[in-house]
Amino acid sequence: MSASLVGSEMCIRNSFMVQEAGSALAERLRADWLRRLAKDGDWNTFLALHADLQSPDAELRCQALNARLMTGDPSLAADIRQRWDELIDAPAACDTTLSGMVARGQVDEEAVWWRFRQQVGGRNPERAQTTLSWLDAAAASQLDQALRSPAQYLDRLPANFAITRGGRELAIAALVRLARDDRPGALARLTRLQDRLDGPGRGHVFAALAHRAALALEPEAAAWFRAAGDVPMNTDQRAWRIRTALRSGNWSAVLAYTSQLPAAEAEQPDWVYWRARALNTQGRADEAASLFQRIAGEPHFYGILAAEELGQTFAPPPHAPTLTPAQLRQAETDPGLRRALTLFRLDMRTEGVREWNWSLRGQDELFRLAAARLALKHDIYDRAINTAELAAPRGAFDLRFLTPYRELIEPHVHSQGLDLSWVYGLMRQESRFVIPARSSAGAQGLMQVMPATGKWVAGKIGMRDYQPGRLSEPTTNVRLGTSYMRLILEDLDNHPVLASAGYNAGPGRAKRWRDSQPLEGAIYAETIPFDETRDYVKKVMVNTVVYAAMLDGKPQSLKSRLGTIAARPEAR
C-alpha cells in the first residue's frame, strides 16, 4: 500500500476515533489499528496511539513491550523483571522482548529456568520449548520427545544425562509430565534417578506429583507435599497443599501452610478464613476472632462463614438506595447506554453487552445503580445484576438478586418439592436469567440444560414430545431443569452441596469427590478438583442463603446449609 493511501487511511481512522471518543467502537478501532502498526513495525506511532487505549488485550500488551524495546526505553528491563511471573503464560507476541532481555543478561537465569518449569507443568507446555531455546538450544530440540513420550524418554536416558543443566531439566520435565497420567510410574523413575538430580529438582518433581495426586484426591498427596520440602511452588500447588491438609483434618498443617503463603495470597478471604479456623483448633481463639472480623460481613462464601463463627447469621439485606428522577434520567439519556439498548432490541446481545459495559467505565456508584434500574426496566436482567454488583458489591441486593419469571418457575419448584431459594440461586449462577443463554458446551436457556441431559430427563418424566430445539422455550427449559435438580438431589443424599456440584460437573463426579470419612460441607466445597465447579458451588450456596433471607425475611445460616457430606458408601 502506498504511503499516501496509508496516510489517508490513518487520517480517516483518527478522525473517527476523535469524533467517537469514549465509545466502545472507537476503542475497537484503535486496537485494530495498533495491531496493524505492530505488524508494520511503526513503533513510535504505536506508542503514541497505545497511550489512549483503555483495555488492551494480552497480545497488545505484549506489542507495547516490543515497542518499548524497539524504541530503547531504559525502564523496560526493570519492568520485565518485576512482572516476570505474570508473563509466564504470555502469548508468543511477548517473545521478542523476553528473549531480548534474556540474551542481554537482564533477567536472572534462575528466573528463566523457573519459567520453563512452570510452562512444562502448565496448560500450554509447548510454550516451554521457546523458553528453553533461550537457555539451551540443544536441550530444546529434545523437549518434544521428553514431553510426548516421557516414560520412554526417561527409560532411555544416557548415563551421563546429568552432567549439564539442560540434561537434568529435560529429565525433570519428563517426570513432571509423566506425573499427570502415571503417578506410580513417575515415582518409580524419580526414585531411580533422584541421586543424579539436585535437591530443588527432586522437590520440584515431588511438588508436581503431590499437586496431581491432590487434584485426584489421592491420599499420597500429603506425603508428597512433605517430600517437596521448602522448594518454591506455584499458586495452585500452594493452594492444594492447604486443601490436602484440610481434607485430612490436619489443622496444624493448615496453619503452617497458610503461614507460608506470599503476602498477597495470605490476604485472600479463603486463606484468612481457613487460617482462622486452624488457629481455633490450636486454642488461639483471640487471634482467630481477629482474622474472622477482617472478612466477616462481606457477602461472599468466606465472609458469611466468618460472620457465623462470630455468632452472626446472614440477615435480610437492605435494598439499594432510592434514586432521584434526575439521577435516573442521567442513565436514560447516556449515549452509550442508549446505543446498548438499541443493540439489545436488535438481538445483537454480544455487541450490546460490550457497549453497555464500556459505558459504565469511570462512572460513580449512583450512575451505575441508575443504569442497573434502567436495565431492569427493559428486562435485561443480567446487565441489571452485573451493573448493581459493580456499583455496590456489598449492597443493592434487590438489584443483584432478582427473582424474574417467578410465575413460571414457582409451580415447577413446588411440583418437584424443591427449595425456591436454591433453584433461584442455581439459576442466577447458570444464566443470569438470560433466556437465550447458550454456553460453549451447548447448554441452553435459563437453567443451562445440555441437549443430552434434556433428552434423558424427558425420558425419566415421560415427556414424549421432547426435541432439543425445545430447550430454548422457557417453560420446557425450567421443567427439565427443575426435574433434573430433583433427580440428582435424590441420587446425592438430598444434599444441596452435592447436588449443586452434580448439576455443574455431573452426579458421578460429585459422588467420587466424597471422602472415606464424613466431610464438613465447606471443606468438601473447598476441595472440589475442578476450578469452575468449586467456584460454582460456593456461589450457588451463597446465592441460596441470600435468596432465602430475602424471600423468608429471616436470618439464614450458610453453615447449616453446607452441613456434612457423608462418606462414600463403600467407605461407610
Side-chain angles (χ1 to χ4, degrees):
M1 186 181 291
S2 70
S4 61
L5 286 176
V6 171
S8 176
E9 181 182 358
M10 187 169 183
C11 286
I12 292 170
R13 288 173 180 259
N14 282 339
S15 176
F16 181 87
M17 287 187 291
V18 170
Q19 192 173 19
E20 297 295 326
S23 71
L25 188 57
E27 174 82 355
R28 291 178 64 192
L29 182 63
R30 188 183 302 275
D32 289 344
W33 186 238
L34 283 165
R35 290 187 181 90
R36 168 68 177 277
L37 292 169
K39 182 178 180 182
D40 293 344
D42 188 350
W43 298 115
N44 287 307
T45 306
F46 180 99
L47 287 173
L49 194 62
H50 185 270
D52 293 325
L53 190 68
Q54 300 297 311
S55 299
D57 60 19
E59 181 188 354
L60 283 176
R61 288 195 294 271
C62 284
Q63 296 294 10
L65 295 177
N66 293 337
R68 293 172 62 190
L69 176 72
M70 298 304 181
T71 56
D73 184 342
S75 65
L76 177 62
D79 286 352
I80 293 294
R81 286 193 292 271
Q82 185 175 2
R83 297 174 52 198
W84 186 253
D85 283 354
E86 295 174 31
L87 296 168
I88 284 176
D89 293 321
C94 274
D95 289 348
T96 298
T97 294
L98 299 182
S99 62
M101 296 289 105
V102 174
R104 292 178 177 87
Q106 293 173 313
V107 178
D108 180 70
E109 186 175 306
E110 285 303 316
V112 188
W113 283 115
W114 167 257
R115 174 187 174 86
F116 167 71
R117 287 182 174 185
Q118 296 311 303
Q119 288 174 327
V120 165
R123 292 185 174 90
N124 300 301
E126 63 278 0
R127 297 287 293 127
Q129 188 163 27
T130 298
T131 301
L132 186 55
S133 70
W134 304 339
L135 296 159
D136 187 330
S141 68
Q142 302 176 51
L143 181 61
D144 182 65
Q145 180 187 356
L147 298 184
R148 190 163 27 88
S149 304
Q152 184 180 73
Y153 179 85
L154 291 164
D155 292 342
R156 294 180 177 178
L157 278 174
N160 65 345
F161 80 90
I163 63 173
T164 66
R165 177 72 183 263
R168 295 193 300 274
E169 291 292 342
L170 284 172
I172 291 169
L175 287 165
V176 167
R177 293 304 290 179
L178 187 59
R180 297 172 70 91
D181 304 312
D182 181 9
R183 282 176 288 286
L187 181 64
R189 288 167 176 83
L190 173 61
T191 302
R192 176 165 54 85
L193 299 173
Q194 64 181 346
D195 290 343
R196 284 178 280 177
L197 302 176
D198 60 16
R202 292 192 298 271
H204 180 74
V205 178
F206 271 118
L209 276 166
H211 184 208
R212 302 309 303 186
L215 289 171
L217 305 180
E218 293 171 350
E220 295 87 354
W224 288 342
F225 273 125
R226 288 194 296 272
D230 59 359
V231 68
M233 297 184 188
N234 62 35
T235 303
D236 284 344
Q237 290 169 341
R238 288 191 291 267
W240 277 102
R241 184 168 63 166
I242 298 169
R243 292 181 182 127
T244 298
L246 277 171
R247 199 168 173 93
S248 64
N250 188 346
W251 288 102
S252 60
V254 171
L255 184 58
Y257 295 151
T258 53
S259 300
Q260 295 166 18
L261 290 172
E265 289 175 33
E267 291 301 313
Q268 294 174 3
D270 42 359
W271 307 135
V272 170
Y273 174 76
W274 291 119
R275 177 169 169 76
R277 289 282 306 275
L279 284 167
N280 260 342
T281 67
Q282 307 299 307
R284 298 162 65 179
D286 290 344
E287 293 174 71
S290 178
L291 287 179
F292 286 134
Q293 287 167 358
R294 279 166 49 185
I295 59 172
E298 297 179 8
H300 53 61
F301 190 80
Y302 304 100
I304 294 174
L305 286 176
E308 288 199 48
E309 293 291 332
L310 298 172
Q312 307 157 14
T313 50
F314 186 82
H319 286 192
T322 301
L323 301 175
T324 66
Q327 289 167 334
L328 294 170
R329 267 195 310 275
Q330 189 180 2
E332 291 170 354
T333 58
D334 180 80
L337 295 182
R338 292 181 68 174
R339 280 195 298 269
L341 291 175
T342 299
L343 291 167
F344 282 121
R345 285 194 293 270
L346 294 172
D347 289 330
M348 299 173 68
R349 165 163 280 278
T350 300
E351 294 80 1
V353 169
R354 184 183 295 121
E355 189 72 44
W356 184 276
N357 292 347
W358 186 259
S359 300
L360 299 175
R361 291 177 60 86
Q363 300 287 3
D364 62 19
E365 177 182 343
L366 292 177
F367 179 90
R368 290 170 175 172
L369 288 174
R373 293 284 182 199
L374 180 63
L376 182 57
K377 178 180 177 181
H378 290 271
D379 296 336
I380 309 173
Y381 300 116
D382 64 317
R383 290 307 93 200
I385 293 169
N386 288 18
T387 305
E389 284 186 338
L390 183 65
R394 298 188 181 190
F397 285 85
D398 55 324
L399 288 169
R400 292 170 51 211
F401 292 86
L402 302 173
T403 55
Y405 310 115
R406 190 164 177 176
E407 69 286 349
L408 164 64
I409 295 166
E410 200 158 13
H412 290 289
V413 169
H414 290 323
S415 68
Q416 299 296 342
L418 299 173
D419 176 2
L420 180 63
S421 300
W422 181 47
V423 173
Y424 263 120
L426 184 142
M427 193 181 300
R428 180 185 187 272
Q429 200 59 35
E430 287 288 347
S431 69
R432 286 294 200 264
F433 311 110
V434 175
I435 286 176
R438 183 186 292 264
S439 75
S440 58
Q444 299 179 44
L446 289 170
M447 301 196 71
Q448 290 290 277
V449 180
M450 292 288 289
T453 301
K455 181 179 179 180
W456 179 78
V457 175
K460 286 285 188 180
I461 65 175
M463 185 180 174
R464 298 181 180 179
D465 58 346
Y466 171 77
Q467 297 176 2
R470 296 194 62 190
L471 284 178
S472 60
E473 300 171 1
T475 300
T476 300
N477 192 278
V478 172
R479 180 185 177 191
L480 291 170
T482 53
S483 297
Y484 186 50
M485 288 180 77
R486 176 182 58 79
L487 289 167
I488 62 174
L489 187 66
E490 291 175 350
D491 189 43
L492 292 167
D493 300 342
N494 285 304
H495 202 301
V497 171
L498 285 173
S500 297
Y503 196 95
N504 181 263
R509 291 191 179 101
K511 291 177 182 178
R512 290 196 298 274
W513 293 337
R514 290 179 292 191
D515 198 30
S516 58
Q517 56 188 357
L519 273 182
E520 181 185 332
I523 293 177
Y524 175 91
E526 182 64 65
T527 57
I528 289 173
F530 292 1
D531 293 347
E532 176 191 327
T533 306
R534 184 168 62 253
D535 182 65
Y536 175 91
V537 169
K538 293 175 186 177
K539 287 180 176 175
V540 167
M541 296 310 298
V542 168
N543 292 349
T544 301
V545 166
V546 175
Y547 274 120
M550 295 175 69
L551 292 171
D552 298 346
K554 297 185 296 187
Q556 301 289 324
S557 167
L558 174 58
K559 194 168 185 176
S560 65
R561 286 180 181 270
L562 294 172
T564 300
I565 307 297
R568 290 189 300 269
E570 65 271 19
R572 294 175 190 171

